[in-house]
Amino acid sequence: MDERHQDQGIVLTEEQKRRRRARSIAIALSLGVLVVLFYLVTIVKLGPGVLNRPL
């Protein structure tokens, strides 16, 4: 194949790149909040005694 004729695929504009990055950050923050929420709900359901167990 001739490398000069290779298809470059989809080329995003700067606006599309900015929006994709903002969307990725929003998804990451949402996932982080969900993880913290699950952790806190688990601690609340198990009770405070779970933190005072011997190591």
Side-chain angles (χ1 to χ4, degrees), residues 12-30:
L12 299 176
T13 65
E14 290 303 317
E15 177 68 17
Q16 289 171 325
K17 289 178 185 177
R18 187 184 64 76
R19 287 184 180 195
R20 177 183 280 183
R21 179 167 171 77
R23 191 167 41 247
S24 295
I25 290 171
I27 291 171
L29 289 175
S30 300

Side-chain angles (χ1 to χ4, degrees), residues 2 5 9 16 18 21 27 29 31-32 34 36-39 41 47 52 54-55:
D2 192 350
H5 292 100
Q16 289 171 325
R18 187 184 64 76
R21 179 167 171 77
I27 291 171
L29 289 175
L31 184 59
L34 191 61
V36 170
L37 181 65
F38 285 167
Y39 177 77
V41 167
N52 295 328
L55 296 175

Side-chain angles (χ1 to χ4, degrees), residues 36-55:
V36 170
L37 181 65
F38 285 167
Y39 177 77
L40 292 175
V41 167
T42 301
I43 296 299
V44 167
K45 286 186 119 188
L46 291 176
V50 74
L51 298 175
N52 295 328
R53 64 184 173 89
L55 296 175

